[in-house]
């Protein structure tokens, strides 16, 4: 019985890869320095797995930026705009690679980066391959081979991991009209054959081919493409030993196709889809000679494995297939969890005992195998695991009966406003008396180095809490004055007290824990440190009331209360796996509801509840969309609906396509929604127009991701475009998103222009 790790985190225990890449990009380190760091990380990961006793240790799971971009370079899928960099500048492979990832603005060139998008339903972003009609491929980068050889030199026999050809095409985008990227398979496959052949020649005995698109709802033609590809590979390379992997979901209606593919092993993510194990064990799979890789150790979350449960699955498979045909592994690559729990000193011992990061998960896989083999040496570990599981299921740190009762008692009334939008709008317009096209911002103002320094100082106790408070108050007052001077209609306090829109609230809620180094790669050198929701969530005391009422006391204009919504809190945290996500979302919703009502009680008339992550929580398979949207909308409504008709509830969303969930956005029934639209030239509004979205909308009029100051004419044009599809009485004017990453000067200039655009528009209508 083999143990199988699908991939290991590549940023390094102390985010060495981040530092190394950023130093290289800044010209502070040589290519050699970068390569040395990369070598060290790879060796560390391989050794760790070898010493643990892993049979199938991955190689080529490492990447300097992204595994899909690696594949682009491997098969030479290089968009035309970079060709001049190769021909004229003769960039080396690494620099070309980074140019594709990050753009190239040097030496008189200005070439944009390739697009980036979320990797399935994770917070990891991959680089989107770009395809042209009739595109030819050839084997360019031999990274996979090099890394296999590198491990071999250290005496470690690895299992190369590559992104499969069908998913590689499906994950990309056509850059020309008139063809479908799947048609390129015929050109692409020979390059894969060449690559795989070289790996065989180097001595690779088993290759992991990742085809995660098999977790999606596919068209018949796409399923046929899988069939054709793997039959062709088998024909051309009969000695190839392939573990075909997909993860994050069941194979669903693709299962029959998958079972027919001439591969030697298939992988099943049993964390996300345990039901399909039975289907497979009752299918033609049993009479074949194929192996089954059981993904029992969760690669997406930080909880310790429940050995008893995993052994149940494994024993069931072993009974039917025999040990030789079963592999024990992680559910997906461990890329999505932090490196090593041992390094955590912030967590209380009780909570730490419930967790496992990548290094611990490797050990879990090994322990499970030993347990199945009846190895006496793991008896203690099995017993300890049982104790951890019991501790977690009964701990008073986790379980709070009051919270559970409150969730159970939520009614339809809690999730609806007292009156419908048309009535509320009348009340709100009469009370608030805002001008036509009210102007506002999304919440944060520039978080300068000075503000962040203050936060670091108070953390290290270098300044007192009072001094910190005072400094932030001054910053807030300055921000209010600036907004008054610019003439904005609805002000914000600026969010200077917030490190991050999730962490800030998590720190004030019960049931949340924070790690010291629990970093996970988000994209390239960027990492995030998601907080951990370990227990029933509640709000011991108000979280934002002091800041908002302070800001409100400084001005005669309205200041918006500013909160993060329940779905975003959930989505950007590591969540409990011992209750449905829906339940955790409802607990968060109730905590935020209390905050919303406290703000109302303190006289705040406008309250914004940000939900930028609502779209990304959408399940991978369509049949699961409705259930998710149902509870996600309900959570938002429970958070927002506890107030009187006159209170104007705003929400904000960004990074989103909305067309497929527009009815759910409408069902959220926020009085005002502000959305990111400027980069799409208001095209995003079409979805709202088509749907006849009834509530007020603030389509962002300028991109906050760039330091560029847009002219008032540009913004006026965008607003005019918006007016074609939105009723004048429903149109707000605001930037695309919060301004925390911008500088003060450009923020001021851009907002001044935005105000001018609004003034001109008001004069016109
Ligand atoms: N209120 C938050 C801010 O302005 C919203 C951030 C977001 O949408 N990502 O920073
Ligand atoms: Zn935003």
């Amino acid at each position: 019985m083999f143990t199988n790790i699908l991939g290991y985190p590549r940023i390094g225990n102390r985010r060495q890869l981040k530092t190394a890449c950023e130093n290289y990009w800044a010209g502070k380190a040589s290519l050699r320095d970068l390569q040395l760091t990369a070598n060290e990380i790879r060796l560390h990961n391989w050794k760790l797995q070898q010493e643990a006793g892993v049979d199938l240790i991955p190689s080529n799971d490492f990447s300097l930026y992204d595994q899909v971009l690696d594949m682009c370079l491997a098969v030479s899928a290089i968009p035309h705009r970079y060709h001049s960099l190769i021909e004229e500048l003769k960039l080396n492979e690494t620099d070309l690679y980074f140019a594709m990832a990050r753009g190239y603005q040097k030496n008189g060139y200005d070439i944009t980066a390739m697009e980036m998008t979320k990797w399935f339903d994770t917070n990891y972003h991959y680089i989107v391959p770009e395809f042209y009609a009739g595109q030819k491929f050839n084997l360019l980068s031999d990274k996979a081979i090099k890394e296999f050889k590198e491990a071999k030199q250290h005496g470690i026999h690895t299992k190369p991991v590559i992104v499969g050809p069908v998913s590689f095409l499906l994950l990309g985008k056509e850059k020309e009209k008139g063809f479908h990227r799947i048609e390129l398979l015929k050109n692409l496959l020979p390059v894969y054959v060449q690559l795989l052949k070289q790996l065989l020649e180097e001595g690779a005995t088993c290759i992991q081919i990742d085809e995660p698109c098999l977790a999606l709802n596919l068209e018949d033609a796409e399923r046929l493409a899988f069939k054709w590809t793997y039959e062709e590979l088998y024909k051309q390379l009969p000695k190839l030993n392939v573990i075909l992997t997909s993860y994050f979901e069941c194979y669903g209606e693709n299962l029959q196709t998958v079972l027919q593919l001439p591969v030697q092993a298939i992988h099943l993510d049993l964390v996300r889809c345990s039901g399909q194990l039975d289907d497979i064990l009752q299918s033609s799979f049993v009479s074949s000679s194929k192996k089954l890789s059981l993904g029992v150790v969760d690669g997406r979350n930080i909880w310790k494995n429940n050995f008893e449960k995993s052994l149940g699955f494994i024993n069931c498979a072993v009974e039917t297939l025999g040990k030789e045909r079963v592999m024990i592994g992680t559910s997906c690559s461990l890329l999505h969890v932090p490196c090593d729990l041992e390094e955590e000193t912030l967590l209380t011992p009780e909570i730490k005992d419930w967790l496992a990061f990548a290094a611990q998960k490797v050990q879990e896989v090994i322990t499970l195998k030993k347990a199945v083999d009846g190895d006496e040496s793991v008896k203690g570990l099995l017993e300890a695991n049982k104790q951890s599981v019991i501790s977690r299921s009964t701990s008073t740190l986790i379980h709070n009966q009051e919270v559970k009762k409150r969730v159970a008692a939520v009614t339809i009334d809690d999730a609806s406003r007292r009156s419908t939008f048309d009535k509320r709008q009348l009340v709100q317009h009469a009370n608030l008396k805002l001008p036509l096209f009210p102007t506002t911002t999304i919440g944060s103002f520039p978080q300068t180095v000075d503000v962040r320094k203050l936060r670091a100082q108070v953390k290290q106790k270098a300044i007192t809490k009072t001094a910190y408070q005072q400094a932030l108050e001054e910053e807030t007052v300055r921000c209010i004055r600036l907004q008054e001077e610019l003439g904005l209609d609805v002000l914000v306090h600026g969010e200077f007290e917030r490190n991050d829109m999730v962490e800030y609230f998590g720190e004030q809620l019960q049931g949340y824990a924070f790690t010291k180094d629990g970093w996970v790669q988000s994209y390239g050198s960027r990492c995030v440190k998601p907080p951990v929701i370990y227990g029933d969530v509640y709000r011991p005391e108000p979280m934002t009331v002091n800041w908002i009422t302070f800001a409100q006391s400084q001005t005669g204009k309205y200041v918006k209360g500013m909160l993060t919504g329940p779905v975003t809190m959930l989505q950007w945290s590591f969540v409990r796996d011992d209750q449905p996500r829906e339940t955790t979302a409802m607990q968060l919703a109730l905590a935020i509801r209390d905050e919303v009502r406290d703000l109302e009680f303190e006289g705040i008339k406008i309250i914004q509840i940000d939900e930028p992550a609502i779209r990304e929580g959408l399940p991978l398979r369509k049949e699961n969309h409705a259930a998710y949207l149902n509870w996600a909308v309900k959570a938002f409504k429970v958070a927002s609906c506890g107030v009187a008709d006159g209170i104007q509830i705003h929400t904000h969303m960004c990074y989103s396509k909305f067309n497929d969930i527009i009815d759910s956005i409408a069902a959220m029934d926020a009085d005002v929604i502000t959305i990111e639209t400027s980069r799409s030239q208001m095209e995003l509004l079409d979805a709202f127009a088509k749907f006849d979205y009834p509530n007020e909308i603030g389509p962002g009029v300028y991109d906050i991701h760039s330091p560029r100051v847009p002219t008032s004419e540009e913004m006026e044009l965008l607003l005019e475009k918006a007016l074609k599809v939105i009723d004048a009485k429903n149109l707000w004017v605001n930037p695309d998103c919060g301004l925390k990453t911008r500088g003060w000067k450009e923020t001021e200039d851009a907002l001044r222009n935005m105000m001018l655009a609004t003034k001109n528009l008001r004069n016109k209508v």
Side-chain angles (χ1 to χ4, degrees):
M1 198 165 34
F2 276 171
T3 44
N4 183 22
I5 304 295
L6 270 60
Y8 201 83
R10 51 216 183 195
I11 50 169
N13 283 8
R14 285 170 306 285
R15 284 185 294 161
Q16 301 91 311
L17 187 61
K18 174 189 177 66
T19 319
C21 280
E22 289 174 359
N23 284 342
Y24 178 67
W25 297 335
K28 289 191 221 149
S30 67
L31 182 55
R32 202 174 141 63
D33 296 333
L34 174 61
Q35 282 162 348
L36 279 178
T37 305
N39 288 345
E40 273 168 24
I41 295 173
R42 285 194 290 262
L43 185 59
H44 170 271
N45 293 353
W46 288 327
K47 276 252 167 75
L48 183 146
Q49 295 174 77
Q50 187 189 40
E51 278 159 20
V54 173
D55 300 301
L56 300 171
I57 300 172
S59 62
N60 199 40
D61 56 334
F62 178 84
S63 177
L64 285 175
Y65 204 96
D66 166 51
Q67 71 273 9
V68 182
L69 183 60
D70 290 344
M71 212 61 231
C72 289
L73 224 69
V75 302
S76 181
I78 298 168
H80 301 323
R81 62 185 179 283
Y82 303 103
H83 288 188
S84 57
L85 296 179
I86 309 173
E87 283 143 26
E88 294 158 23
L89 280 187
K90 314 244 176 300
L91 283 195
N92 66 42
E93 191 180 300
T94 311
D95 288 342
L96 171 67
Y97 176 83
F98 284 140
M100 288 161 72
R102 311 177 61 237
Y104 193 85
Q105 281 84 24
K106 265 196 301 212
N107 303 321
Y109 290 83
D110 184 3
I111 306 179
T112 54
M114 290 172 76
E115 201 184 310
M116 193 166 68
T117 195
K118 286 200 183 245
W119 179 247
F120 298 86
D121 59 351
T122 73
N123 222 333
Y124 175 79
H125 302 68
Y126 73 95
I127 298 282
V128 182
E130 300 179 13
F131 297 118
Y132 307 88
Q135 187 167 350
K136 298 274 186 306
F137 304 93
N138 59 281
L139 193 56
L140 180 68
S141 156
D142 59 351
K143 171 179 178 289
I145 298 149
K146 262 201 230 136
E147 290 184 11
F148 178 77
K149 282 161 74 174
E150 184 183 317
K152 197 159 72 174
Q153 274 158 13
H154 292 291
I156 302 168
H157 182 73
T158 57
K159 165 198 63 171
V161 180
I162 57 172
V163 178
V166 186
S167 294
F168 178 67
L169 289 174
L170 291 180
L171 289 165
K173 246 189 183 169
E174 293 89 358
K175 283 285 153 176
E176 291 170 347
K177 290 215 159 73
F179 81 108
H180 191 286
R181 57 200 185 283
I182 208 75
E183 293 161 20
L184 299 175
L185 250 185
K186 291 209 166 55
N187 293 352
L188 179 62
L189 200 63
V191 185
Y192 267 81
V193 170
Q194 216 183 329
L195 172 67
L196 291 165
K197 202 163 156 217
Q198 286 192 27
L199 284 168
L200 283 179
E201 282 162 11
E202 287 300 334
T205 46
C206 169
I207 300 201
Q208 175 181 321
I209 306 190
D210 286 347
E211 291 282 13
C213 288
L214 284 166
L216 306 176
N217 301 100
L218 297 177
E219 306 281 327
D220 286 342
E222 293 165 336
R223 266 188 293 274
L224 275 178
F226 276 105
K227 220 167 154 269
W228 180 81
T229 300
Y230 286 87
E231 280 168 5
E232 201 61 25
L233 274 185
Y234 183 64
K235 244 189 263 164
Q236 300 199 32
L237 301 167
K239 290 215 186 78
L240 195 67
N241 181 13
V242 175
I243 304 183
L244 182 76
T245 67
S246 173
Y247 26 77
F248 307 149
E249 250 304 348
C250 297
Y251 289 102
E253 69 281 6
N254 305 325
L255 183 64
Q256 284 319 313
T257 308
V258 170
L259 292 177
Q260 287 166 24
L261 300 179
V263 292
Q264 285 59 51
I266 63 172
H267 174 79
L268 185 58
D269 179 343
L270 281 170
V271 176
R272 284 289 176 89
C273 174
S274 54
Q276 229 161 29
L277 180 60
D278 275 346
D279 296 345
I280 292 176
L281 294 180
Q282 282 161 25
S283 73
S284 58
F285 184 87
V286 178
S287 56
S288 75
S289 60
K290 285 178 194 155
K291 294 187 173 151
L292 188 61
S293 162
L294 303 176
V296 284
V297 171
D298 194 351
R300 290 287 299 274
N301 214 331
I302 38 74
W303 304 106
K304 201 176 249 188
N305 193 256
N306 180 334
F307 285 162
E308 204 176 304
K309 196 170 153 203
S310 298
L311 288 171
F313 291 132
I314 300 167
N315 286 327
C316 178
V318 166
E319 251 166 54
T320 315
L321 303 173
K323 274 190 195 173
E324 311 69 44
R325 287 179 61 197
V326 173
M327 300 178 194
I328 303 177
T330 53
S331 65
C332 58
S333 166
L334 296 171
L335 177 70
H336 311 288
V337 294
C339 290
D340 194 353
L341 182 66
E342 281 306 307
E343 316 222 344
E344 284 303 322
T345 48
L346 280 184
L347 296 163
T348 62
E350 189 172 355
I351 295 177
K352 202 170 161 180
D353 180 53
W354 302 328
L355 307 180
F357 292 177
Q360 289 69 40
K361 285 173 189 282
V362 168
Q363 293 295 341
E364 289 182 339
V365 170
I366 299 298
T367 306
L368 284 167
K369 174 191 150 109
K370 289 186 176 163
V372 180
D373 283 342
D375 186 331
E376 292 286 313
S377 71
V378 295
K379 258 202 160 145
L381 290 175
L382 296 183
E383 188 47 41
N385 182 271
K386 207 179 260 169
Q387 289 312 318
S388 302
V389 171
I390 293 175
S391 143
R392 208 180 140 204
S393 64
T394 54
S395 169
T396 50
L397 274 184
I398 295 184
H399 302 281
N400 181 314
Q401 294 314 321
E402 289 303 307
V403 177
K404 292 187 206 292
K405 263 191 232 149
R406 207 175 155 203
V407 168
V410 169
T411 63
I412 296 272
D413 275 353
D414 295 330
S416 21
R417 294 292 291 266
R418 289 162 212 176
S419 309
T420 51
F421 172 72
D422 47 345
K423 297 206 183 97
R424 300 198 307 268
Q425 190 178 36
L426 290 176
V427 183
Q428 288 164 16
H429 283 196
N431 290 354
L432 298 171
K433 300 197 174 55
L434 295 170
L436 187 65
F437 313 135
T439 50
T440 191
T441 60
I442 305 306
S444 57
F445 268 75
Q447 281 250 336
T448 54
V449 182
D450 290 342
V451 169
R452 272 177 279 151
K453 210 193 248 151
L454 285 172
R455 197 156 23 253
Q457 283 172 330
V458 72
K459 238 184 190 166
Q460 295 153 7
K461 304 208 162 63
I463 55 168
T464 64
K465 278 198 176 138
T466 323
Y468 175 69
Q469 177 81 14
Q470 255 168 18
L472 291 187
E473 281 178 6
E474 280 165 27
E475 201 68 23
T476 307
V477 174
R478 217 177 348 220
C479 179
I480 294 274
R481 292 290 162 266
L482 173 70
Q483 295 173 76
E484 286 178 334
E485 189 247 310
L486 288 166
L488 283 147
D489 302 302
V490 175
L491 313 194
V492 295
H493 75 295
E495 302 184 21
F496 302 106
E497 77 286 11
R498 301 185 187 175
N499 34 7
D500 169 273
M501 65 186 289
V502 170
E503 197 168 332
Y504 180 75
F505 290 94
E507 278 172 351
Q508 302 187 69
L509 290 168
Q510 283 301 311
Y512 259 98
F514 296 85
T515 62
K516 182 169 73 68
D517 283 310
W519 295 101
V520 179
Q521 188 178 20
S522 170
Y523 65 89
S525 68
R526 286 283 284 267
C527 301
V528 292
K529 192 154 66 74
V532 178
I533 306 180
Y534 65 86
D536 289 333
V537 173
Y538 67 95
R539 185 197 71 143
E541 48 190 89
M543 304 181 283
T544 64
V545 171
N546 284 343
W547 277 112
I548 303 300
T549 50
F550 168 76
Q552 183 64 83
S553 73
Q554 301 297 313
T555 176
K557 292 204 163 168
Y558 294 112
V559 175
K560 273 195 275 193
M562 192 59 64
L563 306 170
T564 301
V567 184
T568 300
M569 292 292 295
L570 184 83
Q571 203 57 33
W572 291 350
S573 306
F574 282 120
V575 295
R576 297 171 67 167
D577 63 352
D578 59 347
Q579 70 184 16
R581 292 169 80 79
E582 172 180 354
T583 310
T584 308
M586 195 49 68
Q587 294 181 354
L588 285 159
L590 288 167
I592 296 159
R593 179 183 176 94
D594 293 345
E595 187 72 15
V596 170
R597 290 171 76 142
D598 280 347
L599 287 168
E600 176 187 28
F601 185 76
E602 294 296 333
I604 301 302
K605 303 289 181 214
I606 306 180
I607 301 166
Q608 178 173 316
I609 307 173
D610 292 328
E611 281 291 22
I614 207 151
R615 175 67 174 70
E616 74 182 51
L618 204 61
L620 292 176
R621 300 187 65 87
K622 291 199 183 93
E623 55 270 32
N624 304 327
H625 285 188
Y628 161 77
L629 288 167
N630 196 19
W631 64 251
V633 170
K634 183 170 167 203
F636 180 83
K637 293 187 84 174
V638 166
S640 61
C641 288
V643 290
D645 286 349
I647 304 297
Q648 190 172 59
I649 297 288
H650 290 218
T651 189
H652 165 72
M653 292 179 197
C654 43
Y655 333 110
S656 297
K657 299 186 210 108
F658 302 111
N659 31 348
D660 51 349
I661 60 163
I662 185 74
D663 47 345
S664 301
I665 293 177
M668 287 166 69
D669 198 20
D671 297 303
V672 181
I673 182 172
T674 54
I675 52 173
E676 176 181 325
T677 43
S678 80
R679 274 191 295 184
S680 71
Q681 297 294 307
M682 298 277 159
E683 262 169 37
L684 270 179
L685 277 184
D686 291 349
F688 288 82
K690 245 186 239 151
F691 187 80
D692 260 332
Y693 181 84
N695 301 15
E696 297 178 31
I697 312 181
V701 291
Y702 80 88
D703 179 15
I704 54 83
H705 299 94
S706 145
R708 182 176 168 271
V709 174
T711 63
S712 66
E713 289 83 10
E714 271 171 73
M715 291 189 265
E716 209 182 315
L717 270 178
L718 286 178
L719 284 168
E720 277 171 359
K721 219 167 156 185
L723 264 184
K724 293 209 171 92
V725 290
I726 302 173
D727 247 359
K729 72 171 193 311
N730 286 348
L731 181 65
W732 283 67
V733 181
N734 46 264
D736 266 347
C737 189
L739 301 162
K740 66 167 167 254
T741 56
R742 296 272 59 88
W744 277 106
K745 174 82 175 78
E746 71 223 31
T747 296
E748 216 182 301
D749 291 347
L751 289 177
R752 210 177 290 284
N753 288 352
M754 182 182 96
M755 295 309 295
L756 186 60
T758 312
K759 196 173 132 202
N760 291 341
L761 191 73
R762 282 176 186 156
N763 286 339
K764 269 191 206 162
V765 295

